Structures are given as structure tokens and as C-alpha cells.
Amino acid sequence: MTEISSAEKEKYTKHLKRQMDGWREIIIPINSILLWERSWHPGFLFGLSSIIFLSIWILEPAVLTLISISLLMGALIDYIVFTISPSFFSTNSWTGQKERKLDEICQNLSVTILGLQSTWKSLLQMRNNRPNFYYGSLITILLFISWIGNTINNLLLFYIIVTILLLSPGLKHEHRAQSVIKSIYNQVLHRKTS
């Protein structure tokens, strides 16, 4: 994977900060929830994900309806944030501490996005330099994923993926993911030696 330069990170961070200008009062509480700054945040994320997927399971909407409703909710949220948030949040309430927090959020997000772009470029480079390995790996992974998709209910699989994605920033921030992986590794290693 190619290394991302600090100038590129800084440029992308500034770009993200300009893009998030209307959302800045909303982003800080969302980041707080995603990073589990309070003890009830993981339960809230898990419950929110469960309620949404339980509603989808009960209502059984068509795929086109589900996509349409999701896009409609996104458009309504975007409209509400830009229309109503200026009346709730005054410009005087924005402090230096909130500005630093927004900078930190934009830096973390830019590192993640640039890392994903770098991974994509590496895959494209592998496709050009080592096509046999690339296509062999791609075919194997896609066959495995299609087997899993055929074996497990798609809504359940999507629910698991979304819940893991929602909980992963908090796991990473709290360094709990490393401790879980270490404990699983120790359990496996302990069982092999027994």
C-alpha cells in the first residue's frame, strides 16, 4: 500500500471541513455516539440498528421501495439540518474546543478515506502487475461471498454487517477490538497446547 503524504492529508482535511460546514453542530454529537463517549452509546447504536432492521423485516418492502424511502429520509434529514439547525444553534455557541474536535474528526475521516483510496489504487496496481494472482484471489473471494449470501438470509447478513460497521469506530477508539482479538488468539493457542 502506498504511503499517504501529510500534505495530501491536510488538503483533504480542509476539503472535508468545508464540506461539513452546515453539519458541524450535528457531526460532533454523532461522533460522540460512534466513539462511545458514554456507557449507553453502544447499546443505543445496537438498538437503533435492530429497530431499523426489525421494521424492514416486519414490513418486507420491495427493494425499490426500500431504496426510495432511504433516499427520501436522507434528503429530509439534509433539508432539516440546513433549515432548522441555524435556529437551534447560534453562531456564538461554536467554541474553540468544538473547532478542535471538528478538526480531529475531519483528520480521522480523511485518513480513513485516503486509506481506502490507497487500497483501491493498490488493487488496481496488482491487477496490472500480477493479473493471475489478482483474478484468482478475486474469484475465490467472490465465490466464498456468494456461498455465504446463499446460505445465510440476506437481511440478517446485512444487519450483521451494518451493526459491525456502526460499532467498529467505538471498538477501535476504546481499543476493545485488540483485546477481543488477543483473548480469542490466547484461547485458540491455549486449546492447541492442551
Side-chain angles (χ1 to χ4, degrees), residues 61-167:
V63 174
L64 190 58
T65 304
L66 187 61
I67 292 171
S68 176
I69 289 174
S70 301
L71 292 175
L72 177 67
M73 293 299 291
L76 283 174
I77 290 170
D78 189 41
Y79 175 74
I80 289 170
V81 166
F82 278 105
T83 317
I84 296 177
S85 68
S87 60
F88 281 114
F89 304 109
S90 68
T91 54
N92 298 334
S93 68
W94 191 253
T95 62
Q97 181 181 4
K98 288 182 178 179
E99 186 70 27
R100 285 189 298 278
K101 190 71 171 171
L102 183 65
D103 283 338
E104 180 185 325
I105 292 167
C106 290
Q107 286 173 356
N108 291 339
L109 195 56
S110 66
V111 166
T112 303
I113 291 171
L114 290 173
L116 289 172
Q117 288 176 350
S118 175
T119 303
W120 180 254
K121 288 176 186 174
S122 296
L123 287 173
L124 291 178
Q125 202 172 36
M126 185 190 311
R127 185 185 72 183
N128 293 332
N129 297 340
R130 300 174 61 194
N132 292 338
F133 177 75
Y134 172 80
Y135 286 112
S137 301
L138 184 68
I139 289 169
T140 304
I141 290 169
L142 291 177
L143 282 173
F144 180 70
I145 290 173
S146 66
W147 173 75
I148 288 175
N150 195 35
T151 306
I152 301 173
N153 183 317
N154 289 325
L155 187 62
L156 175 65
L157 196 59
F158 195 55
Y159 166 69
I160 291 169
I161 291 169
V162 167
T163 304
I164 288 172
L165 287 175
L166 281 174
L167 294 175

Side-chain angles (χ1 to χ4, degrees), residues 172-187:
K172 183 180 177 186
H173 179 72
E174 296 289 325
H175 303 293
R176 292 186 181 165
Q178 290 90 350
S179 63
V180 169
I181 291 171
K182 284 180 185 176
S183 71
I184 291 172
Y185 177 74
N186 290 335
Q187 288 290 332

Side-chain angles (χ1 to χ4, degrees), residues 5-17:
S5 70
S6 60
E8 189 177 2
K9 287 179 195 174
E10 187 66 32
K11 180 182 173 188
Y12 201 79
T13 300
K14 287 180 182 178
H15 172 72
L16 275 176
K17 197 170 174 185

